[in-house]
Amino acid sequence: MEAERHTTEELGVDGRNLDGVYRYYELAKRAEWQVRDLPWSDAPPIPEYSGSPQKLGRRRDLWRSVITQQLQADELAVEMATQLFSIAPDREAKLYYTTMVQDESRHTEAWLKLIHEAGGMAERDPYLDKLAQHVLDADTLEEKVFMMQVFFERLIIPRFRMIARSSRGTVLEDLCNRLAIDDGIHHGAGMAYERVLLEGAGKKTQTRLIEAANRLLPTFAQHALWRPKAREFIGALMRETDVRMLREDLEHGIRLAKSLGLDVSGVEMPTF
Ligand SMILES: [Fe+2]
Ligand SMILES: [Fe+2]
């Protein structure tokens, strides 16, 4: 198989070494699954409870709201992945992005089926739409890969684990476990590609990236602390957790930026 591979000099722009990115292309193809693989007929879609009709209704609304946000995120992820596919100049990266477009489409398909089984869509998070717009409108590929794959794809993973822990024995749990793996691949591929992109980038690209992050972070904080009506009753309870997780996400983002060799001294932390 190795013999069939073209050398990087033939494929990469400016002789870039894209072997790391290509590895994720192969990994993503091996890891692909189908929506029909989920336990649709063996497990309930979302957790089942006993109690008063009011309590049951409230719980259902809560899960519908959780699923709606994830559906919204994956619909936006399809758009972002498609844009990355179309603007990435390197062939290996383009090949890799075909799998990411496919993954995000499959995630959307799964959430659509699940939201139907859970009783229908709930309220959208307005800040999530704004976040995606930041990525889609960003000027450079370096900015888009950083926001989408380095930052978002990494921080969603503990969310999936958290949802899976509180929905044992359901289709939702199974889906979240699969998405944690897929988004691990999306993040890994993004880290590998961003490294290659930044190697050839000058100070100007780096400065623009930090400026883009500073424009993004206030919206990110609003998104992290936003509570839909269905989850307002646990909002006060959860505010502390939300703030703690937001801090952790921001610190993690800074560590990731540093590990890519970026100068983070210009990052302005949002206030909340
Ligand atoms: Fe996804
Ligand atoms: Fe993803």
Side-chain angles (χ1 to χ4, degrees):
M1 200 171 77
E2 224 19 56
E4 286 171 21
R5 281 268 291 121
H6 300 276
T7 64
T8 306
E9 281 72 27
E10 280 175 293
L11 287 173
V13 172
D14 304 330
R16 290 165 168 173
N17 184 341
L18 287 140
D19 291 351
V21 177
Y22 191 84
R23 259 187 341 125
Y24 280 99
Y25 172 55
E26 295 186 318
L27 179 61
K29 283 191 294 178
R30 279 200 303 276
E32 192 182 325
W33 47 274
Q34 294 304 320
V35 173
R36 62 169 177 272
D37 300 335
L38 294 170
W40 297 107
S41 43
D42 308 318
I46 53 174
E48 289 172 336
Y49 305 90
S50 53
S52 66
Q54 286 91 330
K55 184 190 161 188
L56 294 184
R58 239 171 28 175
R59 288 282 153 183
R60 172 165 287 262
D61 288 349
L62 188 146
W63 287 114
R64 281 175 48 228
S65 161
V66 169
I67 296 170
T68 299
Q69 255 85 78
Q70 297 308 326
L71 167 61
Q72 185 185 351
D74 268 314
E75 279 175 340
L76 295 166
V78 177
E79 283 187 52
M80 292 187 268
T82 309
Q83 195 189 48
L84 288 169
F85 164 77
S86 66
I87 66 169
D90 306 283
R91 282 186 189 143
E92 283 95 338
K94 267 200 193 301
L95 281 174
Y96 168 73
Y97 284 125
T98 61
T99 68
M100 211 164 110
V101 171
Q102 179 56 45
D103 281 355
E104 306 299 11
S105 312
R106 197 173 60 251
H107 299 172
T108 303
E109 180 193 345
W111 289 122
L112 279 170
K113 187 166 161 65
L114 193 60
I115 196 69
H116 177 73
E117 305 226 341
M121 289 272 290
E123 193 184 349
R124 284 175 78 89
D125 172 356
Y127 302 111
L128 202 50
D129 290 329
K130 270 178 79 179
L131 276 180
Q133 213 50 54
H134 274 287
V135 180
L136 293 168
D137 292 347
D139 292 325
T140 65
L141 179 61
E142 287 82 358
E143 289 164 43
K144 291 171 200 284
V145 172
F146 187 89
M147 292 186 227
M148 163 78 176
Q149 287 173 274
V150 174
F151 190 51
F152 296 149
E153 302 265 27
R154 173 63 189 78
L155 64 88
I156 193 71
I157 296 170
R159 259 66 172 189
F160 286 138
R161 302 243 181 266
M162 214 167 76
I163 301 172
R165 268 202 307 279
S166 42
S167 62
R168 293 287 183 230
T170 64
V171 175
L172 176 62
E173 182 202 3
D174 191 302
L175 178 56
C176 283
N177 287 334
R178 289 169 192 271
L179 297 203
I181 295 170
D182 286 1
D183 280 341
I185 297 173
H186 301 172
H187 171 66
M191 288 294 288
Y193 196 28
E194 188 75 346
R195 249 188 210 108
V196 174
L197 293 172
L198 289 178
E199 244 164 49
K203 183 91 190 119
K204 196 166 151 238
T205 308
Q206 294 210 16
T207 310
R208 286 176 76 169
L209 213 161
I210 299 297
E211 284 167 4
N214 286 341
R215 283 194 299 274
L216 178 86
L217 289 178
T219 311
F220 177 71
Q222 286 177 304
H223 153 72
L225 300 176
W226 179 77
R227 286 267 148 196
K229 282 191 189 62
R231 279 183 278 161
E232 247 167 22
F233 74 100
I234 50 164
L237 217 74
M238 289 292 290
R239 167 96 193 168
E240 229 172 275
T241 313
D242 288 346
V243 168
R244 181 176 51 77
M245 287 187 86
L246 170 57
R247 280 219 176 85
E248 285 171 7
D249 286 342
L250 293 170
E251 282 160 17
H252 202 114
I254 294 282
R255 281 204 299 281
L256 288 165
K258 275 189 190 160
S259 78
L260 288 165
L262 288 164
D263 172 9
V264 296
S265 58
V267 176
E268 293 155 18
M269 283 293 173
T271 45
F272 47 86

